[in-house]
Amino acid sequence: MIDAQCKALQNNCLLHQPVLLEESVAALVMDSNGIYLDGTFGRGGHSRAILSRLGAAGRLLAVDRDPDAVAAARALAAEDPRFSIHPGRFGTIGEIVAAAGLDGRPLSGILLDLGVSSPQLDAAQRGFSFGAEGPLDMRMDPHSGESAAQWLARADEADIAAILYELGEERFGKRIARAIVAARTAEPITSTTQLAEIVARAVPTREPGKHPATRTFQALRIHLNDELADIRSCLDQVCDLLTVAGRLVVISFHSLEDRIVKRFIRDEAQGPVLPKGLPVRATAVQGRLRALGKPVRPTPSEVAANPRARSAIMRVAERLS
């Protein structure tokens, strides 16, 4: 079990409740003097918990592209010399690690807490949530790329429908896309509640306990921030960055994310697939990772305390020699 100090960090986190905090940090930190990377700093709940388990020689690198998260991380860096923040996308962790001055030392662990953080959801001006009136933005970095409003103003109906189906698993994607295109001919779609109302009118049925715009907002956010490509890019680099027995810990929040992580760990555990009859030793085709234990989900008590944890699933893998 994680120590009392780490539990206090979880209880005192005012802006964001880190999901699976105890389980993820316990699975991640095997060497108190190792070098670790938190690919999604957020508001630092996981980072602070990791630091609480590191010794004086330990080091933690954190990555985030959200300017508010970077500002919070810089405050932590000023408090703890073992910690450093590296603004950017976690899909570029190879470049980040190379520039971090580690003298070629490998990482002892990589943590990815995927999805959007509570402060992003709760800040109406960020446009991630339909729960309050706000500009239709949805960018992790509001200073880079197109906002949701800008993309919806120019995208054609077929592209909108495809994004809703592929990234939101929205079966009414075509109806919603048609409604969006019709609505924007009358006036620009610029606010979260405006889009949510358009979607609600277009969807003929309701899922119990779920707003009809949930899947649409998820799909647009994933598309605008290119989130799945970031996950794939990051995973492609982790085996080259981890030391032997180093840990990869990934917390996903929906099936699209988890499917990528599950397949990556499975494929890396299997090793290269060679033609039948090729005269090679078994050790030559050994995989680079092995899955550790079964997927972990939040306990009922955690879900009761933090309903946003209900869809979380954690997978852990270890680097093999």
Side-chain angles (χ1 to χ4, degrees), residues 80-291:
D80 195 326
R82 302 172 300 169
F83 175 81
S84 59
I85 177 64
H86 304 267
R89 306 169 69 111
F90 63 80
T92 65
I93 59 170
E95 297 173 15
I96 289 169
V97 170
L102 303 180
D103 297 324
R105 294 172 61 195
L107 300 178
S108 295
I110 297 171
L111 170 68
L112 299 175
D113 178 13
L114 303 175
V116 63
S117 69
S118 292
Q120 290 169 325
L121 285 171
D122 295 337
Q125 70 271 19
R126 299 300 301 274
F128 285 105
S129 173
F130 44 76
E133 175 81 17
L136 192 58
D137 196 312
M138 298 193 194
R139 290 172 293 176
M140 297 289 187
D141 179 356
H143 306 301
S144 176
E146 280 187 303
S147 69
Q150 290 169 328
W151 187 77
L152 287 176
R154 69 166 182 82
D156 64 36
E157 184 177 318
D159 286 342
I160 297 171
I163 290 299
L164 298 186
Y165 179 76
E166 293 168 10
L167 301 182
E169 300 176 312
E170 174 56 78
R171 61 191 177 113
F172 299 113
K174 291 184 178 180
R175 295 177 64 120
I176 294 169
R178 193 178 311 123
I180 288 172
V181 171
R184 77 186 184 191
T185 61
E187 61 177 334
I189 304 171
T190 59
S191 77
T192 53
T193 53
Q194 187 183 4
L195 177 60
E197 289 167 4
I198 293 168
V199 176
R201 290 194 297 268
V203 174
T205 61
R206 297 291 186 266
E207 294 180 66
K210 181 177 287 189
H211 190 284
T214 299
R215 295 179 184 274
T216 295
F217 272 65
Q218 171 190 298
L220 291 175
R221 188 204 83 220
I222 292 172
H223 171 67
L224 290 166
N225 295 288
D226 208 11
E227 294 177 31
L228 301 187
D230 240 15
I231 296 170
R232 293 187 181 98
S233 176
C234 178
L235 294 177
D236 284 344
Q237 300 170 73
V238 297
C239 290
D240 293 329
L241 298 173
L242 285 172
T243 188
V244 174
R247 298 288 179 85
L248 170 68
V249 178
V250 185
I251 303 171
S252 305
F253 287 85
H254 60 74
S255 59
L256 296 176
E257 296 171 340
D258 183 57
R259 194 175 303 138
I260 292 171
V261 177
K262 178 181 178 180
R263 288 175 177 172
F264 169 75
I265 294 174
R266 179 200 64 196
D267 291 347
E268 287 294 343
Q270 177 179 308
V273 179
L274 301 177
K276 291 183 178 180
L278 199 66
V280 296
R281 295 179 181 274
T283 53
V285 293
Q286 175 180 288
R288 297 190 294 176
L289 292 177
R290 70 181 178 101

